[in-house]
Amino acid sequence: MKPPMLGLAVAGGTFALDQLVKYVVTGPLQLDLLAGTPLDLLPIFRLRFVPNSGISLGFLRANSETARWLLVAMTAAIAAGVMSWMWREGRRWDQAALGLVLGGALGNILDRVRLGYVIDYADLHFGEWSPFLVFNLADAAISAGVIALLARAFLVRERPGSRVETNQ
């Protein structure tokens, strides 16, 4: 079986872009040193540094070193499962969606290993109303990949006897 090249390329690109943006936010822009001062980019979007010690929606906060490394282990196990699925997946576009999930997961895992928290910075808002918590590119990639997989699973029906597009 050939490696899922599209999925691996998407994962690598997602990971690299995520880390680049996090570097810009904490390096040249120094939002981590500005004590929470946001940088408005658009009327509905700002950059604001938020260290996230938990996972989505504030669940599973890692408030100790043990909890931090358990969270790293749990997310690494999930990433390994996604990689395994991607390797077995015959549909190229599903491989790409899994690549988004994998690249995002690896970006957040690296933050947690290096820093003890994930760097979140993207704040989408409409006036005073923020429909989402502050997030990052890795979170957006994971969400987009999962939505793409769910959409294909629920909305695309294959005809009996139809051939699946594969990477082989």
Side-chain angles (χ1 to χ4, degrees):
M1 182 186 305
K2 289 184 181 180
M5 297 309 289
L6 178 60
L8 293 172
V10 169
T14 299
F15 174 81
L17 187 57
D18 172 66
Q19 292 300 300
L20 176 64
V21 173
K22 288 173 180 173
Y23 164 74
V24 169
V25 164
T26 59
L29 294 178
Q30 296 185 343
L31 290 181
D32 56 333
L33 301 177
L34 296 177
T37 304
L39 175 63
D40 289 321
L41 297 180
L42 297 170
I44 63 168
F45 184 77
R46 70 174 61 109
L47 295 178
R48 181 166 58 108
F49 175 81
V50 176
N52 180 359
S53 64
I55 59 172
S56 294
L57 304 174
F59 293 117
L60 295 177
R61 291 238 172 256
N63 295 325
S64 69
E65 282 299 300
T66 302
R68 168 189 174 191
W69 292 108
L70 285 173
L71 197 50
V72 167
M74 181 184 76
T75 53
I78 292 168
V82 168
M83 174 67 109
S84 175
W85 179 5
M86 185 172 63
W87 219 271
R88 293 186 323 260
E89 181 58 60
R91 294 175 193 87
R92 290 178 46 81
W93 294 112
D94 284 358
Q95 290 174 8
L98 290 164
L100 286 171
V101 174
L102 180 62
L106 293 175
N108 283 344
I109 288 169
L110 180 61
D111 283 3
R112 198 170 307 286
V113 167
R114 283 185 330 114
L115 306 168
Y117 58 85
V118 173
I119 298 169
D120 285 341
Y121 52 81
D123 185 7
L124 179 65
H125 61 90
F126 303 95
E128 295 301 314
W129 180 60
S130 293
F132 307 105
L133 296 175
V134 177
F135 60 97
N136 61 39
L137 188 135
D139 299 334
I142 291 166
S143 297
V146 168
I147 289 168
L149 290 167
L150 289 172
R152 202 237 1 112
F154 287 117
L155 301 176
V156 176
R157 296 286 175 222
E158 295 167 9
R159 295 183 196 138
S162 70
R163 195 177 126 96
V164 173
E165 177 187 354
T166 67
N167 64 336
Q168 299 176 14

